[in-house]
Each structure stands twice: as structure tokens, then as C-alpha cells.
Amino acid sequence: MSEQRRAERLDQPREPRGVKLPRFDPEAFGRWSEGIARGMGTANFIVYMTVVIAAWFGWNTLAPADLRFDPYTFTFLTLVLSLQASYAAPLILLAQNRQTDRDRVALEEDRRRATMQKADTEYLAREVAALRIALGEVATRDFLRSELARLAEELDEAAQRRQRLERRQQERPSHERPPPRGGTAQLDEPLDELDGDFARGARPEGSTDAR
């Protein structure tokens, strides 16, 4: 008794008493049931079943009376078909339940992937919007072309004004020409039409008074 009490532990569940049912692998049984349900749902099963029933009818109708194992009204055939239907229905339901479980897992996986794709799409949309905003502040090729064209026009206009000014200075008499700055005839900067013109009657710098 003491050894039996020592063997019993309170931290472990007690084994159930009574008849122990045989254990089986649910996955293997499910695959087996799916195979039967899949086979019963084909045209071959219908053809084979029809051939067996026709042979059954023919044998128990045309064979000698002492060789008939299921005479009319074919009670044994009715019992066999009833047993087949009673086992086929649960097997088909089991196969449908397994298919439903797989469909639910696939649906959850599709939903998870759709959520991830939606998040990725929203992230890409935000990135594209940020790139468009950033590109809006960058000088484009057309803008650079327009600015360069405007700058070239301004340079052409400045060159034309300088050429006109030099032509006017060359056309003046020598005593009315302004002396060169710093002893050189080159101009330090381009002169405008108003900057290079002397007032009429004005004398150049360095000239002596006639008085």
C-alpha cells in the first residue's frame, strides 16, 4: 500500500479507468477517407457499381434456384447498399471538413498576403508622392534651356550695345575722344550708351583752359 501511494503523484493526472479504445492517426485516416470520397465521386465508380448490380440481378434471377444466394426481392443487396450509404456519408463529410480546413488556412494566408501587398502599395504611393514633390523643386531640362536662351539673348544685346558704342567713339573727331583709362585703349568694362557719351560742349579731362 505504501509503495502504491508513493507511485501515485498529485502533479500527474490519473489514468482513466475502463476500456481503452484503440488509437489511430487522424491524419492518416483523413487521407484515407479523402481517397475513398474522391474515388466515389468519379464516373468509374458509377460504372463499376452499375456492372456489379446488373450482375447481381442477373445471377439471382437467371441462375438455378439452388445457386441463387439472394433471390427476389434481393434483401441482401439492399442491406449491402444501405451499409455502403451509411459509411459513405460520414467519409464524404470528413473529406469535406478537411477541405474546409484547408480552404480556411488558404483564405487566411491570402488575407495576410493581401494586407502586406496593401501596406507595400501604400508605402510605394507615399514614396512616389515624395519623389514628385522633390522633383518639383529641381530644375528641369526645359527650364535650363529657357534660362540659357534668355542669358544668350542678354549677352547678344550687351555685345551689340558695345559694338555701337565703339563705332560711335571711332566716328568722333580725335580731339573729342576721351583719353584712355590707365594709359591703355582697352575698356575695363562695357560702357552703356549713356555712360560713354559726353555732354555736348564738355571738355575731356586734362585739357587746359583756353583762357
Side-chain angles (χ1 to χ4, degrees):
M1 291 294 294
S2 61
E3 294 180 357
Q4 184 178 2
R5 290 179 180 177
R6 290 177 182 177
E8 295 178 356
R9 299 183 56 180
L10 298 177
D11 59 343
Q12 294 180 357
R14 181 179 298 177
E15 295 182 359
R17 299 178 180 177
V19 181
K20 294 182 179 180
L21 298 177
R23 296 182 179 180
F24 58 91
D25 186 7
E27 188 67 23
F29 186 78
R31 291 194 297 267
W32 178 68
S33 63
E34 285 182 347
I36 294 176
R38 191 178 295 109
M40 293 179 65
T42 58
N44 293 331
F45 176 79
I46 298 175
V47 172
Y48 296 153
M49 193 70 181
T50 303
V51 171
V52 170
I53 293 175
W56 191 297
F57 286 168
W59 180 265
N60 291 281
T61 303
L62 303 177
D66 54 348
L67 297 178
R68 299 175 187 176
F69 60 90
D70 186 20
Y72 186 81
T73 61
F74 310 112
T75 306
F76 185 57
L77 177 62
T78 305
L79 178 60
V80 170
L81 294 178
S82 299
L83 289 174
Q84 177 188 352
S86 62
Y87 277 97
L91 292 175
I92 293 173
L93 290 176
L94 180 59
Q96 289 179 353
N97 292 335
R98 287 174 58 84
Q99 184 64 35
T100 302
D101 294 338
R102 284 195 296 267
D103 294 341
R104 183 174 62 255
V105 172
L107 181 61
E108 292 177 356
E109 182 67 18
D110 294 341
R111 186 178 301 173
R112 186 182 64 84
R113 291 184 179 180
T115 303
M116 294 177 59
Q117 291 178 358
K118 182 179 179 181
D120 294 341
T121 303
E122 292 178 354
Y123 173 76
L124 292 176
R126 289 193 298 268
E127 290 295 324
V128 170
L131 289 175
R132 292 182 62 181
I133 294 173
L135 289 176
E137 300 176 356
V138 178
T140 59
R141 182 174 57 184
D142 296 336
F143 176 76
L144 292 177
R145 286 181 177 178
S146 62
E147 290 296 322
L148 291 176
R150 185 176 63 81
L151 182 59
E153 292 177 358
E154 292 179 356
L155 292 176
D156 292 340
E157 292 178 359
Q160 292 177 3
R161 287 198 301 268
R162 184 166 182 172
Q163 290 177 2
R164 288 196 299 268
L165 180 59
E166 291 178 354
R167 192 180 302 111
R168 288 182 182 180
Q169 291 179 356
Q170 291 177 1
E171 291 176 355
R172 291 179 183 176
S174 60
H175 65 276
E176 293 183 358
R177 295 179 184 177
R181 297 180 181 180
T184 59
Q186 296 180 355
L187 297 177
D188 295 338
E189 59 181 359
L191 299 177
D192 199 350
E193 295 178 359
L194 298 178
D195 296 337
D197 292 338
F198 292 95
R200 294 185 178 276
R203 298 179 181 180
E205 296 179 5
S207 63
T208 57
D209 191 359
R211 297 179 183 179

